[in-house]
């Protein structure tokens, strides 16, 4: 795990106080910079040593075959893997004739800082070469939110105690070799020499390279330009070959003198535009960045982030680690989706190659709720991307013998890339998750235009899918058989509660939207008979319930399955790597919150006692082998009054990458879990709910948090919420004479601009005692505290 001593807790920074070579890959993920279009892993400027080199362009992928020992009808034939594109981060440095390499000579000091307000990664190092030459190096790196195609690096070298001759080599390198990868099936496939060289150009301080992928045929271009300052003359040479370009700068410094290089980078890719058009786009971006200048790029970045934080910041008093973590999470959620602009939002963002760079249902279920309430235009663009893949989803549904659209379980471009159909194709709930994201966006923003533009069609086609999947039995009850819910350890089941409730919500939402847009609905072939059938199915949906145990069944018959022997497997997590899926599927063991997610999303279907008993029952069987689980368990535990348990789960979700809790952050960050920290705090302790278009809060804090503050965007307004023990204060921040009606603890409240409203918080007493978890799977915070006090 990453120790706090190397990464101290600060409210607005992630600071690495010393360089730990065995944590390079993890720190590269933590320090990754992105704007949703370009992603740069936090590799050292000189490129070596490294954990995993990585430069990514959103949705730029290569096709690879999906081999099967026994193929079957409808199996996807090919997969898609994100490509490590041309690396522009490299600036190699020679001091006299010695390469600056932290593994040689003497590294006197080394620090890196991710500044969450400035949107920069800075690095400072003091180094003595094997020959005794001492230098200081400071670099500042950014990926611009305002100039989407641009990244920039300021690299400054200072001679300390004697004259030095410096040679700086700034490079573009394509087809970088990658290190050997883990055998874990979740990691990305290795692609070697994925890029075919097309064009290269070098002149003055500038160079461009253009490549295409071998199989997918995508074009990309990368360019670099430089501004160089030194007290004396600087010799410059720029060259380019098929897979690399290099600008070399040579100068001599006296003690106290500095060489400053500003490296400007531009990236673009397309599957439609011509080579000249793409080349000119990159050249124009470089020219624009050069005209802006590095200082103004920094100023633009700060202004963009100031506006973001003004409407998105979460303030946590009494819990410094949580304060740092929620801001770190929000920053990386913004980096994943802020300027993605109709591209997918990968599960790892653009921080690493994990999951092959694929997007999953995580986007709509975990990331878009955060963006909807903090950066709604980014959420709208993500939904537009899904709509852009609707044709492929229709083709997939037809292949499966279904109507409507079947969106892929995992993909980059829109085709299904999961070769394991029980957890992939059968997890049809992703279609209802997309529909839920559409309705959530409209409800929270009041934007009917997006519904007319793309939302109605998404709702209609997913509703049609459910009607061809579900069926009415002889008593008129509507069932969905043979599907996989969010819990991937319980596959191919009947009447998964989350799936059924999500499908019913999808059907009702489609009928309501068709009623709001009758002309558009008619053009899609929607009839009154069809919408009536949707409503009938939604009203008759089956929700399995065990009357003897008085709990909802995750799926039909779940509570009658054999129990899992948790004690025998307490040291064998994640279970999917230590037990056959066959055995997992037939027992009561849960990978991630499933029934509890249904309880969070569709809470009005569950009474207070039902919620308490469900939490008690499923807590004992959920092993959290998925990073998607802890934040949802935090919300549901808080709702039933287990505030300290909720705090433990929120802490685990928050520290998943900052402390590398799952030991897999080297492959990239867990963007959904980072988004889930916001959900755990704002929905869990702030009690945020969207109840059929009504904004609701039901706040309550655990003992360790003394004050919680956050802002949500609601229909063009921002409402600030400050929660203390015993009371909550609501402030409307926009408009001279605006007002907003919402609910606090079930009571209707009206707040107007400039007139904060204070309400008392009702105490939520748990109906049942705090439930235990499976042996060895207690939340991370409690386990750490037990270890520190001498416990197991």
């Amino acid at each position: 795990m990453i120790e706090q001593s190397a990464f101290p807790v600060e409210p607005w920074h992630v600071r690495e106080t010393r360089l730990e070579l065995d944590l390079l890959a993890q720190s590269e993920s933590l320090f990754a910079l992105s704007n949703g279009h370009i992603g740069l892993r936090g590799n050292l400027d000189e490129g070596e040593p490294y954990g995993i080199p990585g430069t990514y362009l959103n949705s730029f992928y290569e096709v690879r075959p999906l081999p099967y020992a026994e193929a079957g009808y409808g199996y996807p034939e090919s997969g898609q893997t994100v490509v490590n594109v041309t690396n522009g981060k490299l600036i190699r440095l020679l001091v006299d004739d010695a390469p600056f390499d932290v593994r040689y000579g003497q590294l006197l000091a080394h620090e890196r800082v991710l500044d969450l307000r400035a949107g920069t990664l800075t690095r400072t190092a003091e180094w003595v070469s094997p020959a005794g030459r001492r230098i200081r190096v400071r670099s500042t790196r950014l990926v611009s939110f305002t100039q989407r195609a641009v990244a920039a690096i300021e690299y400054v070298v200072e001679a300390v105690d004697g004259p030095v001759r410096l040679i700086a080599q700034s490079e573009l390198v394509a087809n970088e070799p990658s290190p050997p990868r883990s055998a874990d099936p979740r990691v990305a496939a290795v692609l070697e020499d994925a890029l075919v060289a097309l064009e290269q150009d070098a002149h003055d301080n500038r160079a461009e390279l253009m490549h295409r992928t071998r199989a997918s045929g995508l074009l990309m271009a990368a360019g670099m330009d430089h501004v160089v300052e030194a007290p004396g003359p600087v010799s410059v040479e720029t060259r380019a070959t098929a897979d690399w370009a290099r600008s070399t700068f040579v100068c001599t410094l006296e003690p106290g003198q500095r060489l400053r290089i500003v490296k400007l980078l531009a990236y673009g890719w397309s599957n439609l535009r011509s080579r000249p058009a793409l080349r000119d786009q990159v050249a124009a971006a470089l020219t624009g960045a050069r005209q802006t200048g590095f200082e103004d790029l920094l100023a633009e970045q700060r202004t963009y982030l100031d506006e973001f934080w003004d409407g998105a910041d979460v303030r946590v008093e009494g819990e410094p680690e949580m304060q740092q973590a929620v801001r770190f999470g929000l920053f990386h959620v913004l980096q994943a989706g802020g300027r993605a602009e109709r591209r997918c939002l990968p599960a790892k963002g653009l921080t690493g190659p994990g999951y092959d760079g694929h997007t999953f249902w995580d986007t709509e279920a975990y990331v878009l709720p955060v963006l909807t309430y903090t950066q709604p235009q980014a959420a709208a663009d993500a939904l537009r991307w899904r709509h852009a893949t609707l044709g492929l989803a229709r083709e997939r549904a037809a292949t499966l013998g279904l109507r409507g659209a079947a969106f892929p379980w995992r993909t980059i471009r829109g085709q299904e890339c999961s070769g394991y159909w029980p957890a992939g194709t059968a997890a049809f709930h992703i279609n209802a998750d997309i529909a839920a994201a559409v309705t959530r966006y409209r409800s929270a923003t009041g934007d009917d235009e997006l519904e007319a533009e793309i939302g109605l069609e998404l709702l209609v086609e997913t509703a049609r899918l459910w009607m061809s999947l579900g069926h009415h039995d002889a008593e008129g009850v509507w069932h969905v058989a043979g599907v996989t819910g969010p819990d991937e350890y319980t596959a191919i089941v009947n009447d998964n509660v989350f799936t059924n409730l999500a499908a019913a919500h999808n059907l009702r939402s489609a009928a309501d939207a068709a009623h709001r847009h009758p002309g558009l609905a008619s053009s899609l072939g929607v009839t009154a008979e069809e919408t009536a059938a949707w409503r009938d199915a939604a009203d008759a949906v089956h929700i399995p319930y065990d009357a003897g145990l008085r709990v909802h069944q995750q799926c039909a018959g779940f509570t009658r399955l054999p129990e899992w022997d948790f004690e025998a497997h307490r040291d064998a997590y994640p279970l999917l790597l230590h037990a056959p899926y066959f055995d997992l599927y037939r027992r009561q063991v849960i990978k991630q919150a499933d029934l509890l997610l249904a309880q969070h999303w569709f809470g009005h279907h569950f009474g207070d006692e039902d919620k308490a008993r469900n939490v008690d029952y499923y807590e004992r069987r959920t092993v959290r082998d998925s990073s998607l689980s802890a934040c949802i368990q935090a919300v549901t535990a808080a709702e039933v009054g287990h505030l300290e348990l909720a705090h433990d789960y929120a802490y685990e979700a928050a520290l998943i990458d900052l402390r590398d809790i799952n030991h897999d952050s080297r492959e990239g960050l867990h963007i959904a879990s980072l988004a889930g920290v916001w959900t755990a705090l704002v929905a869990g302790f702030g009690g945020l709910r969207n109840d059929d278009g009504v904004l609701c809060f039901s706040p309550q804090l655990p003992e360790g948090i003394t004050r919680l503050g956050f802002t949500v965007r609601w229909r063009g307004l921002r409402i600030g919420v400050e929660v203390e023990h015993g009371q909550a204060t609501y402030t409307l921040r926009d408009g001279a004479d605006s007002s907003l009606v919402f609910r606090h603890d079930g009571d209707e409240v009206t707040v107007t601009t400039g007139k904060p409203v204070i309400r008392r918080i009702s105490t939520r007493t748990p109906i049942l005692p705090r439930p235990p978890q499976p042996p060895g799977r207690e939340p991370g915070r409690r386990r750490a505290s037990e270890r520190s006090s001498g416990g197991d």
Side-chain angles (χ1 to χ4, degrees):
M1 291 179 63
I2 298 176
E3 298 296 331
Q4 185 174 314
S5 59
F7 289 81
V9 176
E10 299 179 21
W12 284 104
H13 303 96
V14 177
R15 185 184 306 272
E16 179 189 54
T17 59
R18 62 180 184 270
L19 187 64
E20 306 244 5
L21 295 184
D22 58 343
L23 293 177
L24 266 181
Q26 291 92 326
S27 65
E28 289 163 358
S29 298
L30 296 178
F31 291 142
L33 294 179
S34 171
N35 59 11
H37 170 58
I38 303 168
L40 307 180
R41 276 178 66 82
N43 304 112
L44 299 177
D45 300 288
E46 56 273 13
E48 297 180 15
Y50 59 76
I52 301 173
T55 303
Y56 310 106
L57 297 177
N58 193 344
S59 298
F60 189 82
Y61 67 93
E62 181 59 303
V63 175
R64 58 183 176 83
L66 287 177
Y68 300 96
E70 297 181 15
Y73 175 80
Y75 282 25
E77 295 180 358
S78 61
Q80 299 163 357
T81 298
V82 67
V83 175
N84 178 24
V85 300
T86 306
N87 184 1
K89 303 186 294 289
L90 291 169
I91 302 177
R92 305 190 195 276
L93 179 67
L94 283 83
V95 180
D96 289 341
D97 59 351
F100 171 41
D101 188 316
V102 297
R103 295 167 296 187
Y104 304 104
Q106 186 179 4
L107 187 63
L108 302 178
H110 193 279
E111 180 179 83
R112 287 186 288 179
V113 180
L114 179 66
D115 189 320
L116 305 176
R117 287 178 293 189
T120 58
L121 175 64
T122 59
R123 176 197 185 198
T124 56
E126 189 160 345
W127 180 76
V128 179
S129 74
R133 303 300 187 187
R134 186 172 177 177
I135 60 166
R136 293 192 186 100
V137 176
R138 177 180 176 85
S139 68
T140 303
R141 183 185 300 178
L142 69 84
V143 176
S144 175
F145 282 111
T146 58
Q147 299 189 33
R148 182 171 177 262
V150 170
I153 303 168
E154 180 188 53
Y155 192 83
V156 180
V157 186
E158 178 185 354
V160 176
D161 56 5
V164 294
R165 182 173 182 265
L166 299 180
I167 303 175
Q169 298 171 306
S170 177
E171 300 185 14
L172 295 173
V173 177
N175 290 318
E176 276 186 301
S178 293
R181 306 294 299 281
S182 166
D184 187 324
R186 294 168 295 182
V187 303
V190 176
L191 295 177
E192 295 183 0
D193 297 327
L195 300 173
V196 177
L198 298 177
E199 298 181 15
Q200 53 278 162
D201 184 40
H203 55 90
D204 301 325
N205 293 349
R206 180 181 289 207
E208 295 96 20
L209 299 178
M210 182 175 289
H211 289 80
R212 67 165 173 81
T213 52
R214 294 181 184 277
S216 60
L218 304 180
L219 291 177
M220 69 147 294
M224 65 178 181
D225 197 359
H226 303 85
V227 177
V228 183
E229 298 172 0
V234 179
S235 172
V236 181
E237 178 186 78
T238 301
R239 298 177 56 199
T241 66
D243 278 349
W244 62 264
R246 178 191 300 137
S247 289
T248 303
F249 308 98
V250 183
C251 70
T252 299
L253 298 182
E254 296 296 327
Q257 293 183 334
R258 298 177 178 179
L259 168 68
R260 177 178 183 260
I261 300 172
V262 173
K263 182 176 187 177
L264 304 170
L265 296 166
Y267 288 91
W269 78 267
S270 179
N271 63 338
L272 298 174
R273 305 182 70 204
S274 67
R275 285 161 57 170
L278 192 59
R279 180 181 61 236
D280 291 348
Q281 174 190 345
V282 167
L286 283 175
T287 300
R290 187 181 183 99
Q291 183 175 2
T292 302
F294 188 74
E295 289 76 13
D296 285 347
L297 284 172
L298 289 173
E300 289 177 0
Q301 190 88 331
R302 181 60 184 251
T303 299
Y304 180 97
L305 283 164
D306 282 347
E307 182 179 353
F308 169 73
W309 289 117
D310 189 47
D313 188 25
V314 176
R315 298 164 300 284
V316 186
E317 295 185 13
E319 183 63 273
E321 281 188 284
M322 190 76 75
Q323 178 65 89
Q324 180 189 47
V326 68
R327 285 173 173 156
F328 174 78
L330 282 166
F331 179 73
H332 275 289
V333 168
L334 179 68
Q335 288 202 133
R339 296 297 305 276
E341 296 181 2
R342 309 194 188 193
R343 302 290 185 193
C344 71
L345 275 60
K348 298 293 187 183
L350 298 178
T351 67
Y355 295 120
D356 283 340
H358 291 164
T359 188
F360 296 76
W361 69 292
D362 311 15
T363 294
E364 285 77 16
Y366 290 81
V367 180
L368 290 199
V370 180
L371 291 176
T372 296
Y373 290 110
T374 62
Q375 197 81 346
Q377 72 275 12
D381 276 339
L383 292 172
R384 289 187 177 99
W385 169 75
R386 278 293 188 192
H387 183 263
T389 69
L390 181 57
L392 294 169
R394 286 194 184 103
E395 291 177 11
R396 180 65 175 163
T399 297
L400 299 174
L402 301 169
R403 297 186 63 222
F407 284 93
W409 175 244
R410 59 186 301 167
T411 191
I412 295 177
R413 171 64 182 86
Q415 296 88 348
E416 179 61 74
C417 293
S418 174
Y420 187 64
W421 65 269
T425 297
F428 286 102
H429 68 84
I430 187 172
N431 300 280
D433 304 335
I434 293 167
V438 170
T439 58
R440 182 191 305 113
Y441 174 84
R442 176 186 174 274
S443 180
T445 65
D447 180 3
D448 285 323
E449 293 183 4
L450 189 73
E451 182 176 81
E453 178 190 343
I454 57 104
L456 175 65
E457 194 171 15
L458 286 171
L459 292 170
V460 165
E461 294 300 335
T462 48
R464 286 171 172 161
L465 177 79
W466 291 115
M467 293 305 291
S468 61
L469 277 169
H471 70 281
H472 291 273
D473 66 16
E475 285 76 37
V477 179
W478 193 70
H479 303 269
V480 181
V483 299
T484 301
D487 172 29
E488 295 160 26
Y489 285 174
T490 314
I492 318 301
V493 299
N494 298 332
D495 291 322
N496 171 258
V497 169
F498 178 85
T499 301
N500 282 17
L501 288 175
H505 177 266
N506 191 163
L507 292 166
R508 290 192 187 98
S509 298
D512 292 345
H515 179 74
R516 286 190 294 269
H517 306 280
L520 285 173
S522 178
S523 70
L524 296 173
V526 178
T527 64
E529 292 77 13
E530 188 173 23
T531 58
W534 295 345
R535 294 188 191 278
D536 287 344
D539 291 342
V541 68
H542 180 55
I543 307 302
Y545 185 79
D546 188 321
L549 294 172
R550 299 172 68 197
V551 297
H552 288 83
Q553 299 191 72
Q554 181 170 289
C555 58
F558 181 84
T559 56
R560 298 294 180 257
L561 294 175
E563 295 282 0
W564 181 260
D565 188 347
F566 291 103
E567 189 62 47
H569 294 84
R570 66 178 301 149
D571 297 320
Y573 296 104
L575 293 178
L576 79 162
L577 298 182
H578 298 89
Y581 270 114
F582 163 76
D583 206 21
L584 296 171
Y585 287 169
R586 57 191 288 271
R587 297 183 184 272
Q588 290 190 57
V589 56
I590 300 167
K591 180 179 181 182
Q592 61 204 60
D594 187 311
L595 188 284
L596 298 183
L597 181 62
Q599 193 165 285
H600 170 46
W601 278 28
F602 309 108
H604 58 283
H605 288 277
F606 304 85
D608 289 343
E609 290 190 10
D610 288 332
K611 291 178 180 179
R613 286 192 295 270
N614 288 339
V615 167
D616 186 76
Y617 189 85
Y618 288 99
E619 274 288 311
R620 302 165 188 266
R621 291 159 175 82
T622 303
V623 297
R624 297 192 325 285
D625 281 349
S626 166
S627 62
L628 304 180
S629 199
C631 60
I632 299 304
Q633 290 177 265
V635 173
T636 54
E639 189 173 27
V640 300
H642 298 311
L643 293 174
E644 300 313 312
L645 177 60
H647 195 177
D648 290 349
Y649 279 130
Y651 183 92
E652 180 174 291
L655 275 296
I656 189 168
D657 289 313
L658 284 171
R659 297 291 175 260
D660 193 18
I661 288 175
N662 284 4
H663 308 291
D664 59 359
S665 295
R666 60 179 287 115
E667 297 288 336
L669 303 181
H670 300 78
I671 300 300
S673 184
L674 297 182
V677 184
W678 182 94
T679 299
L681 293 173
V682 175
F685 301 136
L688 170 69
R689 298 293 187 274
N690 180 345
D691 187 3
D692 197 23
V694 178
L695 183 63
C696 304
F697 299 97
S698 183
Q700 194 147 261
L701 296 181
E703 291 183 4
I705 297 177
T706 58
R707 187 182 182 95
L708 174 68
F710 58 89
T711 300
V712 296
R713 296 183 183 271
W714 183 263
R715 299 181 183 176
L717 302 172
R718 289 174 298 169
I719 180 169
V721 183
E722 297 288 334
V723 183
E724 301 172 84
H725 288 276
Q727 72 176 34
T729 304
Y730 301 95
T731 305
L732 193 61
R733 300 183 51 196
D734 297 293
D737 300 302
S738 297
S739 65
L740 176 65
V741 178
F742 64 98
R743 291 182 190 147
H744 167 84
D745 278 345
D747 297 328
E748 187 173 289
V749 178
T750 301
V751 62
T752 57
T753 308
K755 298 180 180 178
V757 172
I758 300 175
R759 289 291 184 269
R760 299 298 299 173
I761 293 174
S762 58
T763 302
R764 196 173 305 143
T765 303
I767 296 174
L768 297 171
R770 173 172 169 156
Q773 289 71 45
R777 300 307 286 166
E778 301 87 354
R781 180 184 177 87
R782 187 172 73 181
R783 292 173 66 192
S785 64
E786 287 177 349
R787 281 197 299 270
S788 66
S789 61
D792 290 337

